[in-house]
Amino acid sequence: MDTSLTDRDTDAGLRIRSAAVLLFARQGYAATSIRDLARAVNLTNAGIYHHVSSKEALLADLMRAGHRGLIDATARLLDGVQQPSDRLALLIASLTAIHARSPLTTRVMDGELRSLTPGSTAHDEIIALRDEYEDHWRRALADGAGQGVFRVADQKLSRLALMSMCTGTSEWYRPDGDSSLEQVCAEFVAIGLAAVRAPARPTASADLSLLPDFPWEPPDA
Amino acid sequence: MDTSLTDRDTDAGLRIRSAAVLLFARQGYAATSIRDLARAVNLTNAGIYHHVSSKEALLADLMRAGHRGLIDATARLLDGVQQPSDRLALLIASLTAIHARSPLTTRVMDGELRSLTPGSTAHDEIIALRDEYEDHWRRALADGAGQGVFRVADQKLSRLALMSMCTGTSEWYRPDGDSSLEQVCAEFVAIGLAAVRAPARPTASADLSLLPDFPWEPPDA
DNA sequence: GTCTATACCCGGATAGAC
DNA sequence: GTCTATCCGGGTATAGAC
């Protein structure tokens, strides 16, 4: 009997989730049909529904488990680490590594929040989990700024810049590529630490009037 | 008469594109129907097809025009600028600024390539345009490394890290937020220049075995 | 240039046999 | 636990009147 919406721990449940995360990451959730999924695991579309209560519940479950794994691992990693620089280094390395090692799951986690119906409990839950994770970053940056080790103009800005750098890894990293995962993490940690130690000095700025104005870009949204 | 697949310059053409870029950015291309689009511009679904040859042609046209605008603006900005550091600073500032100022168009440009049917001429054309743009970055980094001004372990790695930082702006920047566009650009330029000047030194690395292994993440893809 | 009507297909999900 | 068969809504796109 299913106590959760998807039977997470059975063989069939795992095979369905593997196929789902692959298809959702490649084509997007909206472009993936239950029939696509069924074909990938050699079932009929009706067969899927014995393991999954709905397509959206499957997505929510993947995202929930992904975020929980990330949050728990981060808490374990940071446990006992005191220096803000060390904490930030760990945050950068671990977020980068998880995006490199699990690019499909993280792409779904990062990009498919919009596919959960707004206002649903699942939607709100994922937002809360994401916020809980980001709090690790907020605290590290606030501590470092409070102790005077970090000199950043805007903590939010620095956080978002560094997190984008880390999460982008899922889009390009290949295990058989030019650089090893350890090299990537080391390089990104170096960039991150340099970023919070070298404040922006006013430099010659670009002439933004040369940028294109797309006439169809809506002004408000 | 239409010479292109979508009548780019008429009033109706513009209003359709505005609505399309908004919906594609918010919900994704696959989750947006021609009927959604028609409702947004007060037409019936059949009415849309007088201005647009197909949903996919509309997406391709938005992406093509977006990339052309970015490439042309970048060429104008870099024109005559010699120093690799200055070129890199301009690349960072302009890519950041266009993502901040046109978040909807850029989100479609960056995220909907997978929605163009693989192998189609439109798909290949966008890939070629993206590559043409990235060449600006590759040349700047190669020049800087060649002249010894940049000390980077891996040019590709640095480029991807910095580009992710810049493009991420479209996901969070708000004109009425804490930092002005000029501040964001200045900060990102500072981070980028620091990144190519301070090579990674081996530091205490994170214990990656503490990271979660998602049992459903497919190994190969 | 926009409409109504419609063709045709595929979507998520369920019923009930085995 | 998986199947066949089916419901029903909505998808892209077209035909042809106005």
Side-chain angles (χ1 to χ4, degrees):
Chain A
M1 77 180 167
D2 291 351
T3 57
S4 72
L5 293 175
T6 57
D7 51 355
R8 196 177 348 242
D9 298 318
T10 66
D11 278 334
L14 254 189
R15 287 178 56 242
I16 288 173
R17 299 151 101 80
S18 278
V21 83
L22 179 66
L23 292 171
F24 291 171
R26 274 197 187 155
Q27 318 171 343
Y29 170 83
T32 302
S33 71
I34 290 283
R35 286 169 167 89
D36 288 339
L37 191 50
R39 201 177 313 118
V41 296
N42 279 313
L43 284 178
T44 58
N45 72 340
I48 295 287
Y49 284 94
H50 196 266
H51 302 276
V52 156
S53 70
S54 79
K55 190 186 158 191
E56 185 169 346
L58 173 60
L59 173 63
D61 195 69
L62 283 169
M63 294 189 67
R64 194 164 31 230
H67 278 97
R68 291 239 169 90
L70 175 60
I71 290 170
D72 293 350
T74 303
R76 282 196 303 272
L77 266 174
L78 292 183
D79 184 60
V81 180
Q82 299 295 341
Q83 297 295 327
S85 303
D86 292 339
R87 296 175 71 85
L88 182 60
L90 283 177
L91 285 169
I92 293 172
S94 60
L95 189 59
T96 302
I98 200 177
H99 277 79
R101 292 207 327 193
S102 305
L104 304 176
T105 302
T106 49
R107 254 182 276 177
V108 172
M109 289 165 57
D110 295 342
E112 294 292 0
L113 179 60
R114 66 179 176 195
S115 301
L116 296 175
T117 54
S120 65
T121 61
H123 179 93
D124 293 352
E125 190 185 358
I126 302 300
I127 288 181
L129 287 171
R130 195 174 60 173
D131 201 59
E132 186 182 340
Y133 171 72
E134 290 176 358
D135 262 340
H136 284 304
W137 285 75
R138 279 187 275 262
R139 277 195 297 270
L141 286 168
D143 287 355
Q147 299 181 21
V149 229
F150 299 166
R151 301 166 202 278
V152 295
D154 181 335
Q155 293 177 29
K156 188 178 169 194
L157 187 55
S158 305
R159 175 174 61 84
L160 292 165
L162 296 182
M163 288 186 63
S164 290
M165 176 181 74
C166 298
T167 57
T169 306
S170 65
E171 302 294 336
W172 58 263
Y173 178 80
R174 298 290 177 273
D176 54 345
D178 300 317
S179 20
S180 74
L181 179 51
E182 287 74 17
Q183 286 174 314
V184 177
C185 290
E187 177 80 28
F188 281 18
V189 167
I191 293 177
L193 293 181
V196 295
R197 281 166 182 164
R201 286 146 309 187
T203 58
S205 58
D207 182 1
L208 299 183
S209 73
L210 288 180
L211 289 181
D213 257 322
F214 301 124
W216 56 81
E217 176 86 17
D220 40 358
Chain B
M1 78 181 165
D2 291 350
T3 56
S4 70
L5 293 175
T6 57
D7 50 354
R8 194 178 349 243
D9 299 317
T10 65
D11 279 333
L14 254 188
R15 288 178 56 241
I16 288 173
R17 298 149 103 82
S18 277
V21 83
L22 179 67
L23 293 171
F24 291 172
R26 275 198 187 153
Q27 319 172 340
Y29 170 84
T32 302
S33 70
I34 290 282
R35 285 170 164 92
D36 290 337
L37 192 51
R39 202 177 314 118
V41 296
N42 281 311
L43 283 178
T44 59
N45 73 340
I48 295 289
Y49 285 95
H50 195 266
H51 302 276
V52 157
S53 70
S54 79
K55 191 186 157 191
E56 186 168 347
L58 173 59
L59 173 63
D61 195 68
L62 283 168
M63 295 188 69
R64 193 164 32 227
H67 277 97
R68 291 239 168 91
L70 175 60
I71 290 169
D72 292 349
T74 304
R76 282 196 304 272
L77 266 174
L78 292 182
D79 183 61
V81 180
Q82 300 294 342
Q83 297 295 327
S85 305
D86 293 338
R87 296 175 72 86
L88 181 61
L90 283 177
L91 285 169
I92 293 171
S94 60
L95 189 59
T96 303
I98 201 177
H99 277 79
R101 292 206 328 193
S102 305
L104 304 177
T105 302
T106 48
R107 254 183 275 175
V108 172
M109 287 165 59
D110 295 343
E112 294 292 0
L113 180 59
R114 66 180 176 194
S115 301
L116 296 176
T117 55
S120 65
T121 61
H123 180 93
D124 293 352
E125 190 186 357
I126 302 300
I127 288 181
L129 287 171
R130 195 173 61 173
D131 202 58
E132 186 182 341
Y133 172 72
E134 290 176 359
D135 262 339
H136 284 304
W137 284 75
R138 279 187 275 262
R139 278 194 297 269
L141 286 168
D143 286 354
Q147 300 181 20
V149 226
F150 299 165
R151 300 166 202 279
V152 296
D154 181 335
Q155 293 177 28
K156 187 178 170 193
L157 187 55
S158 306
R159 175 174 62 83
L160 291 166
L162 296 182
M163 288 186 64
S164 291
M165 176 181 74
C166 298
T167 57
T169 307
S170 65
E171 301 294 335
W172 57 264
Y173 179 79
R174 298 290 177 272
D176 54 345
D178 299 318
S179 19
S180 73
L181 179 52
E182 287 74 19
Q183 286 175 315
V184 178
C185 290
E187 178 79 28
F188 281 18
V189 167
I191 294 177
L193 292 182
V196 295
R197 282 167 181 163
R201 287 146 308 186
T203 59
S205 59
D207 182 1
L208 299 184
S209 73
L210 289 180
L211 288 182
D213 257 322
F214 301 124
W216 57 81
E217 176 86 18
D220 40 358

